[in-house]
Amino acid sequence: MAASVTAHAAIFNVNNSADTVDSSPGDGNCADAFGNCTLRAAVMEANALPGAHTINLPAGTYILAIAGRGENAAATGDLDITGNLTITGAGAALTFIDGGTIDRVFDVLPGAVARLDGITVRNGNPGPGGATGGGISNAGTMVLSNSTVASSTAGDGGGIYNGGTMAVEGSLVVGNAGNGGAFSDTDGLGGGISNSGTMTVNNSTVSGNTAPGVYWWGVAGGGIFNDEGMVTVTASTISGNTVGSGVVNLNGNVIIENSTVSGNTGSTGLGGGGIFNASFGAHATLSLISSTVAANLADAPDGFGGRGNALAEYGSPPGSITVKNSILASVVGGGLTCYTAPLNSLGHNLASDNSCGLSGSGDLNNTDPMLGPLAANGGQTMTHALLDASPAIDAVPVPNCTNAAGVALVIDQRGVSRPQGPACDMGAFEHLPPGLPCPSGAKVNVRWHYSANGSSGGWSGTKSTSCVDGSVAIGPQAMEGDLKVAPGATLKVGYDFTLPGNTSHFSALVSNAKVVFQARCVSGAAPSIASFTATMPNATYSVTDQSWYPSADQRSSLVFERSLSVPDLCGGGQVRLDKGGVFSAVVLLN
């Protein structure tokens, strides 16, 4: 049976990649004319039934092929969601929903509640003009998690348009475009994301999008365009977006916290390569907290280039920009870092020239922040590391190391604990202090493994890395093994340390450690592929001279950091934890 229905809740297990309609929406069965449960049929059936429903979508590519824009029952064109629906894929690298450019991919209608997890949405196009949301258009309540929105286009919101309430968690929005095909105020806005509702972006990347619109001299938002809405960006990276700045805030409210804005290009005569705050008839407010804005370019024709490579503002009367514990750095070779009215500084900021006019406690003007290139420095998103001699290190007193709400900011963008020294660091990256010198040739092996229900089987492995000062990224490290467990079984996840001889002491700070399990059903159960994550707390481990002997290789005790219950992914059947899981962490070795 393709669906099981209890108390108005249905689970639909898609078993065919064709794009066909449900033969009888509302009868509780996901089945097209051939008896197959397709993605479109499952969405139609879920829309027709009361209650909260789930669609399990196996690995594969699902191409929308039934043309017909403007229909709102998911029978043609895009997949319209009208009720309460969760769609769970096998992971963004395995499950692809392709709009085939016949329409956008998902349209979440007013009053609907939707969650998409572990999928890639791509190749959506709702048509010319000011149509919204190439990949996703949301007018309801929506969560997008562990997913990718790519290669889509629309007049407003090439990747995503949000007019309701939406959270983007642990996801990528890459390679989308505002199509900019006609000279109108609603065409070519928000290459990656356009928002006029309430949106949060957390632990995500918005990169490589473009918005070639003509709205107010190109103020269109290559990465994110906020039009009179509310956007909060945390622990995220907005990078490499073009023709409209990384972030544009038009008459709305934007908070960027613990995040990186890097390598974006603005092409407006009003300035703003990284961030543009625009007030046209309303008050635009922007808050930049413990964030790094660097290597952006305000590149505009007619001699307007270089106006606020990091940050610019325009309006009459102007809006307000508040900065705290942040780094504002221009590109090498000139141009103003800021092109704004005086900033409201809450202190402990750094600007690479005098254009930002910082005057708060602990502010540094005309100062090189000494940043490394945008790189994978641990965590899920890319960051600019602080070089060892950076003046941003330990420049924020601990009482001032707080977020926009005044709550202590205890981690950086990567999940590394703050502070790492006597004070916090400016920007999104907390510099790990150098460790003790390591003997020549010494190695540290970080091992991960798990056990379940007392079984001695399961995955195990070793990651070897040189014993050096500073941060060592462990993973992602592919797991191997085969373990079959019943739903509800207790799964324990942990790791230990091994240090070869000739070293008498050792400590390790482990942060942002997690294991992502890939799971599937055993033979005979309903087909299902999914993932679930065990996230482990930050911790420090030490071995003293008394317990660590330099004459031979030594291993610390296995540290179990997390126990969790295996979810029911197979309708009561056994879950197979197969190859494909990963362990990742950032480790400071001493």
Side-chain angles (χ1 to χ4, degrees), residues 255-277:
I255 297 173
I256 300 175
E257 180 180 290
N258 236 6
S259 294
T260 298
V261 181
S262 174
N264 303 284
T265 302
S267 61
T268 166
L270 302 177
I275 303 171
F276 186 83
N277 195 54

Side-chain angles (χ1 to χ4, degrees), residues 290-394:
S290 294
S291 293
T292 300
V293 184
N296 302 283
L297 179 64
D299 181 21
D302 303 323
F304 290 114
R307 286 187 171 188
N309 288 323
L311 186 61
E313 182 177 44
Y314 183 85
S316 180
S320 62
I321 300 177
T322 299
V323 291
K324 177 181 180 181
N325 306 343
S326 292
I327 294 173
L328 299 168
S330 193
V331 293
V332 175
L336 301 177
T337 299
C338 296
Y339 186 72
T340 67
L343 300 177
N344 175 28
S345 172
L346 299 183
H348 310 101
N349 302 287
L350 182 153
S352 60
D353 61 19
N354 289 316
S355 64
C356 300
L358 298 172
S359 59
S361 175
D363 282 347
L364 300 173
N365 289 292
N366 199 26
T367 301
D368 183 355
M370 300 185 69
L371 301 175
L374 188 68
N377 296 309
Q380 192 166 335
T381 55
M382 299 180 77
T383 53
H384 286 282
L386 297 177
L387 304 182
D388 288 344
S390 170
I393 296 172
D394 294 336

Side-chain angles (χ1 to χ4, degrees), residues 4 45 98 126 144 165 178 186 239 311 329 402 465 501 516 551 555 562:
S4 58
E45 192 63 39
D98 192 311
L144 178 75
T165 300
T186 58
S239 65
L311 186 61
T402 56
T465 184
V516 181
S551 59
R555 178 175 297 161
R562 176 74 192 273

Side-chain angles (χ1 to χ4, degrees), residues 101-153:
T101 70
I102 66 168
D103 200 346
R104 70 174 59 84
V105 183
F106 283 101
D107 192 3
V108 182
L109 299 178
V113 178
R115 182 181 185 99
L116 305 181
D117 182 82
I119 62 174
T120 288
V121 173
R122 68 186 187 190
N123 293 331
N125 184 352
T132 62
I136 298 169
S137 183
N138 174 56
T141 301
M142 184 176 183
V143 175
L144 178 75
S145 58
N146 307 310
S147 295
T148 296
V149 178
S151 304
S152 296
T153 185

Side-chain angles (χ1 to χ4, degrees), residues 17 19 42 55 60 67 124 132 156 197 235 358 403 405 424 427 439 443 449 485 494 509 514-515 525 535 551 557:
S17 62
D19 187 27
I55 296 174
T132 62
D156 193 0
L358 298 172
N403 67 10
C424 294
K443 296 285 185 180
H449 45 175
V485 295
L509 169 66
K514 61 184 176 181
V515 179
T535 302
S551 59
S557 299

Side-chain angles (χ1 to χ4, degrees), residues 18 49 73 165 170 207 212 254 297 338 387 431 480 497 499 524:
L49 295 173
T165 300
S207 181
V254 170
L297 179 64
C338 296
L387 304 182
H431 180 266
E480 297 180 357
F497 302 96
L499 190 68

